[in-house]
Amino acid sequence: MGEIATSNRQITLYYSSKSNRAKQTLAYAKAEGLPIQEIDILKTPLTGTQVTELADRLNMEISDLVNQDHPSYKSRFEHHDFSSNDWIKMIQHNPEIMKQPIALRGNITILVETPTDIIKI
């Protein structure tokens, strides 16, 4: 059992309030009347366990959760092979570099690529 609580009755959305895709996804979900629990990763820091659990739920490596094309990543880091703990710390200290939004409902977790993906969950 993980640290992240989920419900079949609502969608938990991890997102950055600075992300246009996240804003569009939230607007779309609300327009569709979907019950959303919003977690802005810029305001609510993720624990290392939460980062690990999100990666596991998406069947991804923790390093794959990092958007290495993000300007904030490119300006601060060079491409290296970091340990999982290093990637977690990078996400915790620079949450804007995490790929998002991530939507969870029950046992289903998706990385939202387009705002309409939210209805798949």
Side-chain angles (χ1 to χ4, degrees):
M1 173 99 184
E3 187 174 299
I4 298 174
T6 61
S7 167
N8 287 324
R9 294 191 184 131
Q10 79 175 6
I11 297 169
T12 303
L13 189 70
Y14 289 86
Y15 72 99
S16 164
S17 54
K18 292 184 179 177
S19 162
N20 285 332
R21 183 186 318 151
K23 290 176 193 172
Q24 293 168 349
T25 300
L26 271 172
Y28 185 81
K30 288 177 180 177
E32 290 291 314
L34 299 173
I36 299 282
Q37 176 187 3
E38 301 175 30
I39 300 175
D40 184 349
I41 60 174
L42 299 181
K43 295 177 183 168
T44 306
L46 297 175
T47 67
T49 303
Q50 287 172 318
V51 172
T52 302
E53 190 173 338
L54 287 171
D56 287 346
R57 285 173 161 269
L58 291 166
N59 294 316
M60 299 171 84
E61 297 294 322
I62 294 168
S63 60
D64 294 333
L65 271 182
V66 175
N67 179 358
Q68 295 184 29
D69 292 327
H70 192 282
S72 189
Y73 179 89
K74 287 182 172 182
S75 68
R76 292 188 178 118
F77 308 104
E78 292 182 20
H79 182 71
H80 289 292
D81 289 327
F82 294 108
S83 71
S84 291
N85 284 338
D86 289 336
W87 286 113
I88 290 169
K89 287 182 180 126
M90 287 168 65
I91 290 170
Q92 288 177 312
H93 294 290
N94 308 279
E96 69 278 3
I97 67 173
M98 187 172 96
K99 290 180 183 172
Q100 48 73 37
I102 298 172
L104 295 84
R105 182 183 232 169
N107 293 327
I108 303 168
T109 304
I110 62 168
L111 178 60
V112 177
E113 299 288 341
T114 64
T116 56
D117 285 351
I118 197 77
I119 61 172
K120 293 178 184 174
I121 196 163

